[in-house]
Amino acid sequence: MYQLYIGSKNYSSWSLRPWILLKHFNIEFIEMSAPLDGEQAYREYVENGLIPCLYDKEFNVWDCLAIAEYLAESYPQMWPEHTRARARARCISAEMHSGFSNLRCVLPMNIKLRVQGGDLALSAKRDIERICSIWREARQLAGAGPYLFGAFSIADAMYAPVVWRLHCYNVPLPDDAAIYRDVMLAHPAMQEWERGALAETLILAQEDMLSEAFGGRR
């Protein structure tokens, strides 16, 4: 059985991605909690000191996209069936993995946070516009189904943390993007992750102080 080492459910966006994949596809795994103690502490689990990390018996795989690709070797349904949709899903997954640094900086993951919302830096707005464009194209390419490319895939898992960011910081979205956001928020695994995040006692004061910059809590 797989073992998945993850960080805080409230703050660790990277951990959510492989976790929701395993949950959605009903793959049995043991959830291992690795507290946010920094790279040196994580080296107990993984060579580069970063989580999430997946163990398949004695073999371990780190980095959320690498974990997803490893799982897809055994569960190919994690990618869209058709060649072009599969290629596009890989494109946007890689773009999410390596990009959108302005959005990450301005809206750090904090599932407990619920703010009124406020004006964003132009760079963050551009990231959000690009994400909405990605979602629109992916759903149009599929032609059916509520998720990106129709059925839930690695692409949806890669964008799951963004859904939380946009929701928690009360970012206004175009109608089509808001529909997809709400579909993802209704996913049973997203709701389970939220319950876990709300139950945590870990507090990162610097992250929580951001509520004042976004009009206070709602």
Short mmCIF file of all heavy atoms in Angstrom, two decimals, residues 6-8 34-51:
data_model
loop_
_atom_site.label_atom_id
_atom_site.label_comp_id
_atom_site.label_asym_id
_atom_site.label_seq_id
_atom_site.Cartn_x
_atom_site.Cartn_y
_atom_site.Cartn_z
N ILE A 6 2.53 14.15 3.82
CA ILE A 6 2.00 15.47 3.49
C ILE A 6 2.27 16.44 4.63
O ILE A 6 2.53 16.04 5.77
CB ILE A 6 0.49 15.44 3.20
CG1 ILE A 6 -0.29 14.99 4.45
CG2 ILE A 6 0.19 14.53 2.01
CD1 ILE A 6 -1.80 15.12 4.30
N GLY A 7 2.18 17.73 4.32
CA GLY A 7 2.32 18.76 5.33
C GLY A 7 0.97 19.19 5.87
O GLY A 7 -0.01 18.46 5.79
N SER A 8 0.92 20.39 6.39
CA SER A 8 -0.31 20.94 6.94
C SER A 8 -1.38 21.02 5.87
O SER A 8 -1.15 21.53 4.77
CB SER A 8 -0.05 22.34 7.50
OG SER A 8 -1.24 23.07 7.65
N ALA A 34 3.52 15.02 8.10
CA ALA A 34 4.86 15.55 8.37
C ALA A 34 4.71 17.02 8.72
O ALA A 34 4.42 17.84 7.86
CB ALA A 34 5.75 15.38 7.15
N PRO A 35 4.85 17.40 9.98
CA PRO A 35 4.62 18.79 10.39
C PRO A 35 5.57 19.75 9.68
O PRO A 35 6.64 19.36 9.21
CB PRO A 35 4.87 18.76 11.90
CG PRO A 35 5.75 17.57 12.12
CD PRO A 35 5.32 16.57 11.10
N LEU A 36 5.17 21.02 9.61
CA LEU A 36 5.97 22.02 8.90
C LEU A 36 7.19 22.41 9.71
O LEU A 36 7.25 23.45 10.34
CB LEU A 36 5.11 23.26 8.62
CG LEU A 36 4.03 23.12 7.55
CD1 LEU A 36 3.19 24.37 7.48
CD2 LEU A 36 4.67 22.86 6.20
N ASP A 37 8.20 21.55 9.67
CA ASP A 37 9.42 21.80 10.43
C ASP A 37 10.60 22.18 9.56
O ASP A 37 11.71 22.34 10.04
CB ASP A 37 9.79 20.55 11.25
CG ASP A 37 8.82 20.30 12.39
OD1 ASP A 37 8.21 21.28 12.86
OD2 ASP A 37 8.66 19.15 12.80
N GLY A 38 10.41 22.27 8.26
CA GLY A 38 11.49 22.68 7.39
C GLY A 38 12.21 21.53 6.72
O GLY A 38 12.02 20.36 7.05
N GLU A 39 13.07 21.89 5.76
CA GLU A 39 13.71 20.89 4.92
C GLU A 39 14.52 19.87 5.70
O GLU A 39 14.51 18.68 5.38
CB GLU A 39 14.61 21.58 3.89
CG GLU A 39 13.85 22.36 2.83
CD GLU A 39 14.76 22.90 1.76
OE1 GLU A 39 15.90 22.41 1.65
OE2 GLU A 39 14.33 23.80 1.03
N GLN A 40 15.25 20.32 6.71
CA GLN A 40 16.13 19.38 7.43
C GLN A 40 15.32 18.25 8.07
O GLN A 40 15.70 17.09 8.01
CB GLN A 40 16.94 20.12 8.50
CG GLN A 40 18.09 19.30 9.08
CD GLN A 40 19.06 18.81 8.02
OE1 GLN A 40 19.45 19.56 7.13
NE2 GLN A 40 19.45 17.55 8.10
N ALA A 41 14.18 18.60 8.66
CA ALA A 41 13.35 17.58 9.29
C ALA A 41 12.76 16.64 8.24
O ALA A 41 12.63 15.44 8.47
CB ALA A 41 12.23 18.24 10.09
N TYR A 42 12.41 17.17 7.07
CA TYR A 42 11.79 16.35 6.03
C TYR A 42 12.77 15.37 5.40
O TYR A 42 12.35 14.43 4.73
CB TYR A 42 11.19 17.24 4.94
CG TYR A 42 10.00 18.06 5.39
CD1 TYR A 42 9.68 19.24 4.74
CD2 TYR A 42 9.21 17.66 6.46
CE1 TYR A 42 8.60 20.00 5.14
CE2 TYR A 42 8.12 18.41 6.86
CZ TYR A 42 7.82 19.59 6.20
OH TYR A 42 6.74 20.34 6.60
N ARG A 43 14.07 15.59 5.58
CA ARG A 43 15.05 14.68 4.97
C ARG A 43 14.94 13.28 5.57
O ARG A 43 15.50 12.33 5.02
CB ARG A 43 16.46 15.24 5.12
CG ARG A 43 16.67 16.48 4.29
CD ARG A 43 18.10 16.98 4.29
NE ARG A 43 18.18 18.31 3.71
CZ ARG A 43 18.16 18.57 2.40
NH1 ARG A 43 18.09 17.57 1.55
NH2 ARG A 43 18.22 19.80 1.95
N GLU A 44 14.23 13.16 6.65
CA GLU A 44 13.94 11.84 7.20
C GLU A 44 13.06 11.03 6.24
O GLU A 44 13.12 9.81 6.20
CB GLU A 44 13.25 11.98 8.55
CG GLU A 44 12.84 10.68 9.20
CD GLU A 44 12.10 10.89 10.51
OE1 GLU A 44 12.11 12.02 11.04
OE2 GLU A 44 11.51 9.91 10.99
N TYR A 45 12.26 11.75 5.46
CA TYR A 45 11.32 11.08 4.56
C TYR A 45 11.78 11.10 3.11
O TYR A 45 11.43 10.20 2.34
CB TYR A 45 9.94 11.76 4.63
CG TYR A 45 9.48 12.10 6.02
CD1 TYR A 45 9.31 13.43 6.42
CD2 TYR A 45 9.21 11.11 6.96
CE1 TYR A 45 8.87 13.75 7.69
CE2 TYR A 45 8.78 11.42 8.24
CZ TYR A 45 8.63 12.75 8.60
OH TYR A 45 8.21 13.06 9.86
N VAL A 46 12.50 12.15 2.71
CA VAL A 46 12.81 12.33 1.29
C VAL A 46 14.15 13.03 1.14
O VAL A 46 14.51 13.91 1.94
CB VAL A 46 11.67 13.14 0.61
CG1 VAL A 46 11.46 14.48 1.26
CG2 VAL A 46 11.93 13.29 -0.88
N GLU A 47 14.88 12.65 0.11
CA GLU A 47 16.25 13.11 -0.07
C GLU A 47 16.39 14.63 -0.18
O GLU A 47 17.33 15.22 0.35
CB GLU A 47 16.85 12.46 -1.32
CG GLU A 47 17.17 10.99 -1.17
CD GLU A 47 16.00 10.09 -1.56
OE1 GLU A 47 14.84 10.55 -1.46
OE2 GLU A 47 16.24 8.94 -1.96
N ASN A 48 15.47 15.28 -0.88
CA ASN A 48 15.62 16.73 -1.09
C ASN A 48 15.01 17.56 0.02
O ASN A 48 15.02 18.79 -0.04
CB ASN A 48 15.05 17.14 -2.46
CG ASN A 48 13.53 17.08 -2.50
OD1 ASN A 48 12.90 16.45 -1.65
ND2 ASN A 48 12.95 17.71 -3.50
N GLY A 49 14.42 16.92 1.01
CA GLY A 49 13.86 17.64 2.15
C GLY A 49 12.56 18.35 1.89
O GLY A 49 12.17 19.23 2.65
N LEU A 50 11.86 17.96 0.80
CA LEU A 50 10.60 18.61 0.46
C LEU A 50 9.48 17.59 0.39
O LEU A 50 9.69 16.46 -0.04
CB LEU A 50 10.72 19.34 -0.89
CG LEU A 50 11.76 20.46 -0.97
CD1 LEU A 50 11.85 20.99 -2.38
CD2 LEU A 50 11.43 21.60 0.00
N ILE A 51 8.31 17.99 0.82
CA ILE A 51 7.13 17.13 0.71
C ILE A 51 6.12 17.83 -0.20
O ILE A 51 6.23 19.04 -0.42
CB ILE A 51 6.52 16.83 2.09
CG1 ILE A 51 6.25 18.12 2.87
CG2 ILE A 51 7.40 15.90 2.88
CD1 ILE A 51 5.52 17.90 4.14
#
